[in-house]
Amino acid sequence: MTIRRAKIEIIYDILKAVQDKGGTIKPTHLLYKSNLSHKKMTLYVNSLISRGLIKINTVENSKVFSITEKGSKYLADYKKIKEFTDSFGL
Amino acid sequence: MVQFLVGPEWFYGVDTIFEVFSIIVCFLIAIFAYKTYNLTNQRKYFYFMLSFLLIAASLTFKIIANFVVFYKTVEKSFYGLFIVTYTHSFDFINTVALFLFRFLFLIAFIIILANILNIKDKKIISLLLFFSFLAVIFSTFAYFEFHLTLALIVGFISHYYFKNYSIKKRKSAFLVMMSFMAIFLSQIMFILFILDKGFYALAETLQLIGFLFLLLAYLVILKK
């Protein structure tokens, strides 16, 4: 049986994928790494951009996503956020 | 007029210290919830922050109501056998502070319940708030109705956290469950106050233990 990932876990997976690639990732790689459908990934990526967790850059004429300082802070605080969410049943 | 029932005289002032401790714990949790909301942008964290800020605010009003009663008692003992006539403004402060304490405390726990049970229908939440308002304003037995309503709400929250702990099996989830169970028991003790004034001290102590468990849960979360 598969367990549905919570929103904070999906965000973590996306940001972790970007960080693991040295802070910058191509959309196709992110789609593969995040384990989401294209539609869902677009929704999440747009949400993360609007919240300042990732940003779009152009490298050699192709679009890439880069993790921001706020995004790095999210990754650093993720364990605490997860523990808080789980213990308070949120 | 709302009548403030107070505990044994030896306990005057002690409950205020308990309340101050609880307010600090509420602020710590509210700050953490706000930081999480800032990072995740999920409303549930915002509502969680709001509920703990409301608890802190309500306990502040309880301190004000306690202080009025405490001041009256000190003045009474100072004048000895003389009968002291208190000004209406003190009674007014006491009534308003007590109402705000009860109303905000109920709203806070209703928000927690709605948040964890994922109740999004505004009509249901409005109805809950309306009945809470009735319970603390128009009831002849406002004191008992307040603690009875609160016991029911915190009872549901405790049941949720019991189920949450059974699934998550985390130390922090256990502490959260214990904290709400202690707060639930404290409400029962507040109701039993009618039998003996000592139950007030027991209720306040149980409530303090509840907030102490919350602080421990918070510290466990911070260690991660």
Side-chain angles (χ1 to χ4, degrees):
Chain A
M1 198 180 88
T2 53
I3 300 167
R4 222 174 123 242
R5 283 184 293 172
K7 271 185 190 173
I8 59 160
E9 287 169 319
I10 296 171
I11 294 168
Y12 172 81
D13 289 343
I14 292 172
L15 294 173
K16 189 83 173 67
V18 183
Q19 197 185 51
D20 288 349
K21 278 276 179 182
T24 306
I25 197 168
K26 285 181 180 174
T28 44
H29 285 158
L30 185 60
L31 181 66
Y32 169 72
K33 290 271 183 183
S34 64
N35 206 15
L36 290 168
S37 67
H38 182 264
K39 196 181 166 186
K40 276 226 164 185
M41 193 200 80
T42 309
L43 278 173
Y44 271 99
V45 162
N46 287 339
S47 161
L48 294 183
I49 291 167
S50 67
R51 284 153 49 193
L53 295 169
I54 57 170
K55 60 184 177 186
I56 303 175
N57 281 337
T58 311
V59 176
E60 291 166 7
N61 288 333
S62 54
K63 192 172 86 172
V64 290
F65 298 120
S66 304
I67 192 163
T68 62
E69 202 178 309
K70 196 177 174 186
S72 300
K73 174 134 180 60
Y74 183 99
L75 285 179
D77 289 345
Y78 175 73
K79 275 188 178 177
K80 286 177 194 161
I81 294 171
K82 180 91 171 71
E83 186 78 15
F84 180 72
T85 307
D86 284 348
S87 55
F88 282 99
L90 295 171
Chain B
M1 197 193 82
V2 182
Q3 186 64 44
F4 192 32
L5 303 172
V6 289
E9 285 195 13
W10 59 264
F11 201 64
Y12 285 2
V14 179
D15 48 356
T16 302
I17 297 166
F18 288 7
E19 251 71 84
V20 170
F21 173 81
S22 307
I23 289 169
I24 293 166
V25 174
C26 286
F27 271 119
L28 289 173
I29 293 169
I31 290 167
F32 193 90
Y34 176 71
K35 280 181 184 169
T36 309
Y37 168 69
N38 226 4
L39 280 173
T40 61
N41 216 28
Q42 288 182 41
R43 280 190 171 190
K44 58 184 178 182
Y45 299 109
F46 176 80
Y47 290 131
F48 208 67
M49 174 204 70
L50 183 70
S51 57
F52 276 90
L53 284 181
L54 284 173
I55 295 174
S58 72
L59 291 174
T60 308
F61 285 114
K62 192 181 178 186
I63 290 172
I64 295 168
N66 274 346
F67 179 75
V68 173
V69 175
F70 180 67
Y71 181 80
K72 279 181 177 182
T73 311
V74 170
E75 203 169 68
K76 201 174 173 180
S77 54
F78 180 73
Y79 284 102
L81 291 169
F82 292 97
I83 297 166
V84 180
T85 310
Y86 303 107
T87 55
H88 286 291
S89 60
F90 264 135
D91 283 338
F92 179 73
I93 292 167
N94 181 267
T95 306
V96 172
L98 197 56
F99 161 72
L100 287 171
F101 153 64
R102 287 175 184 166
F103 191 55
L104 296 179
F105 211 58
L106 269 177
I107 289 178
F109 282 95
I110 286 171
I111 293 173
I112 292 175
L113 186 68
N115 208 12
I116 58 176
L117 295 184
N118 217 10
I119 302 170
K120 284 179 180 161
D121 195 330
K122 283 178 184 161
K123 284 177 216 157
I124 295 173
I125 297 169
S126 306
L127 208 62
L128 281 168
L129 294 175
F130 174 71
F131 283 121
S132 306
F133 188 73
L134 287 185
V136 293
I137 278 284
F138 295 112
S139 171
T140 323
F141 306 103
Y143 174 86
F144 297 103
E145 267 202 40
F146 164 68
H147 288 294
L148 203 62
T149 311
L150 202 59
L152 197 68
I153 294 167
V154 182
F156 286 139
I157 296 172
S158 304
H159 180 247
Y160 174 84
Y161 281 131
F162 172 72
K163 285 200 293 185
N164 185 55
Y165 170 66
S166 310
I167 297 164
K168 305 277 164 62
K169 295 277 179 203
R170 283 171 190 260
K171 190 181 173 185
S172 53
F174 173 76
L175 292 166
V176 169
M177 177 193 76
M178 290 303 289
S179 77
F180 281 92
M181 280 185 173
I183 295 170
F184 166 73
L185 282 176
S186 76
Q187 299 312 308
I188 304 294
M189 294 305 135
F190 276 122
I191 294 166
L192 294 175
F193 172 80
I194 195 169
L195 302 173
D196 189 273
K197 273 191 170 186
F199 278 110
Y200 179 84
L202 186 60
E204 281 284 343
T205 309
L206 277 167
Q207 195 167 282
L208 175 78
I209 291 168
F211 283 99
L212 196 66
F213 274 123
L214 271 183
L215 178 68
L216 291 174
Y218 171 78
L219 292 175
V220 169
I221 292 164
L222 277 195
K223 269 188 182 176
K224 289 283 163 184

